[in-house]
Amino acid sequence: MERWDGTRVRDRAGDLAALLTDTVASGASVGFLAPLGHAAAVAWWRERAQTAAAGRLAVWAALDPLDRVTGTVGLACPDKPNSRHRAELVKLMVHRSARGQGLGRRLLTTAEQAAAADGRTLLHLDTETGSPAEGLYRSAGWTEAGTIPDYAVSPAGVLRPTTLYYKRLGR
C-alpha cells in the first residue's frame, strides 16, 4: 500500500483509470455510468491529482507484483475550520482480479489509521444500499446513519438508494 501525492496520481492516471473502468464495468456504483471510457476515467483521475496536490485529498494505491494498480482508497478532507476533525472516505475500489483476498479491508484500515494519525476523529461515507461494500463497512465497525432513496443512478442507469455510514476514531 502506497500513499500517492498529486504528482504520482497524475503520472499513474492511466493505471488508476483502468481500475476505475473495471470497477464500473463490474456494476459498482462509484459515481459513473457504464460503459465508462478510458479517456474519461483518465481525465477524472487527473482532476483528482490536482485535489491531492492541494492537500484536500489523500490517495492510497495497492499494487500487484507486476506494478499494476489493484485497489485504491481516498480521504477527502474538508477545508472549513469547523470540519477539520473529519474526512470522507471516497472511492474504495478493488479490481475484480483481486477481490476476495482482503484487499478492501486493508485499504479501509490504511485510510482509517492515516486519518487517526492526522488527528481526524470522525469518518463518513455513502455507498449503494444493498451493495457488497456494506458488509465490509459493517464488519469494520462503521455505523449506519440512514438511507436516502433514489440517491444516485447505478452504472446500469437505475435510480438506487444510498446508505450513509460513519465511524468515530480513537474511541
Side-chain angles (χ1 to χ4, degrees), residues 105-166:
R105 167 93 49 202
R106 289 193 306 275
L107 286 161
L108 182 59
T109 299
T110 296
E112 290 174 356
Q113 290 174 346
D118 192 38
R120 310 286 170 171
T121 58
L122 180 68
L123 295 178
H124 64 96
L125 64 86
D126 70 88
T127 192
E128 183 178 338
T129 304
S131 70
E134 283 194 294
L136 171 64
Y137 299 131
R138 286 185 185 129
S139 70
W142 288 69
T143 302
E144 182 178 332
T147 300
I148 302 172
D150 298 339
Y151 184 78
V153 176
S154 73
V158 177
L159 279 173
R160 297 284 299 140
T162 195
T163 302
L164 307 174
Y165 287 88
Y166 70 89

Side-chain angles (χ1 to χ4, degrees), residues 87-109:
E88 180 180 8
L89 188 95
V90 294
K91 301 298 183 265
L92 173 57
M93 297 182 276
V94 175
H95 194 277
R96 283 182 278 192
S97 67
R99 291 184 187 157
Q101 302 169 30
L103 181 55
R105 167 93 49 202
R106 289 193 306 275
L107 286 161
L108 182 59
T109 299

